[in-house]
Amino acid sequence: MGSENLVVPKQLSEVSLWVHPEGIVKGCLFLGLEYETMRPEDPALVLNDPSPFIVVRRDELEEIRFYNKNSITRVQYSERAPSGPEIRALTCMVHLMDGSVLPGAVRRALPPANARLYDFLNLPDERFAKLYLEGDTACLINKSYIVRVTEEAGG
């Protein structure tokens, strides 16, 4: 058996990371491929995985870096927001420790009894909350870097 049978297929996905204290870092995350569809996994799975570090490839510097997830305040990337009858859109403003304010919407299927913005923010085992910004931009925000979240009209 060759070592190529032991390789887990990965796809690079372009992201912008806000890293404290480094600033904005442009690079690529290594995302696993879903077996049945061969589509890349959701970056939220990588960021919310319990391992303390992620791997980022910096093309312009031709290097691989390992970032501690605790130092990542947010990650932005291109992704279409989900839609459908089971998806609830909760519009909000997220206020971060650096003074940034991100307007967007949480779009997620939640049980009717727990479909409030408060319930979403308190989901266990998720270090990063996903917010959909304008256009086709998703933002994973480190919950420990959020000062407050306010609901907006329609949310």
Side-chain angles (χ1 to χ4, degrees):
M1 173 165 48
S3 63
E4 66 276 355
N5 293 333
L6 302 175
V7 175
V8 176
K10 298 279 186 178
Q11 179 174 317
L12 292 171
S13 179
E14 289 185 22
V15 296
S16 294
L17 298 97
W18 277 253
V19 180
H20 180 77
E22 207 169 310
I24 299 174
V25 174
K26 300 228 183 246
C28 295
L29 291 181
F30 291 84
L31 303 178
L33 297 174
E34 295 176 359
Y35 178 71
E36 292 181 10
T37 63
M38 294 308 286
R39 287 189 301 191
E41 68 186 327
D42 185 341
L45 292 174
V46 175
L47 273 291
N48 285 320
D49 178 272
S51 58
F53 286 84
I54 61 165
V55 182
V56 176
R57 185 175 93 181
R58 299 283 315 270
D59 286 334
E60 69 276 3
L61 301 176
E62 296 182 12
E63 71 178 358
I64 300 291
R65 291 183 178 179
F66 305 99
Y67 281 99
N68 186 317
K69 292 177 187 176
N70 290 331
S71 67
I72 299 171
T73 61
R74 66 183 179 195
V75 178
Q76 280 187 208
Y77 56 96
S78 182
E79 178 181 293
R80 294 188 80 166
S83 61
E86 74 284 356
I87 301 295
R88 180 110 190 256
L90 305 169
T91 56
C92 60
M93 300 285 275
V94 179
H95 303 255
L96 303 178
M97 286 186 188
D98 65 3
S100 300
V101 179
L102 302 175
V106 171
R107 295 183 173 272
R108 189 162 181 164
L110 294 169
N114 297 87
R116 302 169 300 175
L117 187 57
Y118 176 81
D119 299 318
F120 166 75
L121 291 168
N122 285 306
L123 287 171
D125 304 321
E126 290 191 7
R127 181 189 325 215
F128 289 83
K130 186 184 285 190
L131 184 70
Y132 289 92
L133 308 177
E134 282 187 3
D136 290 337
T137 302
C139 186
L140 298 171
I141 305 166
N142 191 327
K143 290 180 184 179
S144 65
Y145 203 67
I146 296 173
V147 175
R148 72 179 180 278
V149 178
T150 55
E151 290 183 293
E152 293 298 304

